[in-house]
Amino acid sequence: MRALLTAIAVAIHPGLAPGMAAAVLLVGAPGAGAGDDFEGRRRVMVGEIRVIARDVGPVAGKSAIGTEVLSVMERVPRHLFVPEVLRSHAYEDRPLPIGFGQTISQPYIVALMTDLLDLQGGEAVLEVGTGSGYQAAVLAHLARRVHTIEIVPELAEISARRFERQGYMTVSRRQGDGYYGWPEKAPFDAIVVTAAASHVPPPLIAQLKPGGRMIIPLGNPFFTQILMIVEKGRDGAVRTRQLLPVRFVPLTGDH
Ligand SMILES: C[S@@+](CC[C@H](N)C(=O)[O-])C[C@H]1O[C@@H](n2cnc3c(N)ncnc32)[C@H](O)[C@@H]1O
């Protein structure tokens, strides 16, 4: 029980600033970190994700993260998505500040949200809340196309440079309020919202394909939220399921 509570406490942290697919990537593939100085630390991080998944499993409804997702996270260089002064902390299983009051999410939560999308490789995915760009980079290895929206102009700019520098050609990004989705690129097979909303944005439901799935933290943006799965049936009917308590930074904007 103690291990479970500890794991949930860790999971509850994802977006909160503390105190403030190819299964195998080739060297030279986008974001391939294989062979860099952080390889060992990435392996340890993935080991920790496995343990948390096992402990949180009964709550999250998933006691293991898929091997393809873990394999990607073992290779995407998270240290290149955090401010340089925090690089030595990049592979700890916790969120880190990325400036402008925002955070890069806890690796376990990135793994869980990615795994829950159940990507097969051919999907068009929308991410709301680009932040550092790390989640989009992970998704890019598992889906055909990733579209990501960030509301903070500076973060949108920084992540755009990262995608370019690291060769993420299948990621398109824009600055704006992701509450409204990206109608020109819709519909999407999968949507992941990485900031806390008080309700599921209707434009996102409209832009989800029948048979598609959205993962979103819902609840009071300033306290704890519940990670939810929103599924749109082939007949267009929408069903929601609650997963586990989490804490993300708020979904902002005028909506
Ligand atoms: C927890 S961080 C996301 C972490 C990110 N996915 C990553 O991998 O680094 C949440 C991000 O959502 C952004 N955000 C908040 N409200 C938004 C909105 N309405 N539209 C788009 N982005 C938003 C924040 O500025 C922040 O960068």
Side-chain angles (χ1 to χ4, degrees), residues 14-15 98 102-105 110 127-136 149-152 155 176-179 194-195 248-253 255:
I98 55 172
Q102 304 303 326
T103 56
I104 179 173
S105 299
V110 173
E127 180 195 29
V128 175
T130 317
S132 68
Y134 178 70
Q135 169 82 76
I149 308 175
E150 170 56 50
I151 202 164
V152 177
L155 290 175
D177 187 347
Y179 180 93
T194 66
F248 278 79
V249 292
L251 188 74
T252 57
H255 46 264

Side-chain angles (χ1 to χ4, degrees), residues 63-161:
S63 46
I65 303 290
T67 51
E68 288 203 4
V69 173
L70 293 178
S71 164
V72 166
M73 291 187 65
E74 215 166 85
R75 286 159 194 277
V76 174
R78 191 173 188 255
H79 64 280
L80 298 183
F81 290 86
V82 301
E84 215 164 324
V85 290
L86 292 175
R87 279 192 179 166
S88 59
H89 298 283
Y91 296 103
E92 294 165 12
D93 189 50
R94 63 182 174 108
L96 292 170
I98 55 172
F100 309 94
Q102 304 303 326
T103 56
I104 179 173
S105 299
Q106 175 192 350
Y108 165 67
I109 288 293
V110 173
L112 177 65
M113 290 174 95
T114 305
D115 201 47
L116 288 167
L117 292 177
D118 200 19
L119 300 171
Q120 305 299 312
E123 296 86 354
V125 182
L126 174 70
E127 180 195 29
V128 175
T130 317
S132 68
Y134 178 70
Q135 169 82 76
V138 169
L139 291 169
H141 290 283
L142 297 158
R144 177 177 54 81
R145 188 91 216 171
V146 179
H147 306 281
T148 181
I149 308 175
E150 170 56 50
I151 202 164
V152 177
E154 292 87 347
L155 290 175
E157 232 358 88
I158 293 168
S159 57
R161 284 203 294 274

Side-chain angles (χ1 to χ4, degrees), residues 236-250:
V238 176
R239 280 186 356 171
T240 59
R241 261 187 302 141
Q242 301 192 352
L243 283 177
L244 80 161
V246 287
R247 190 172 288 183
F248 278 79
V249 292

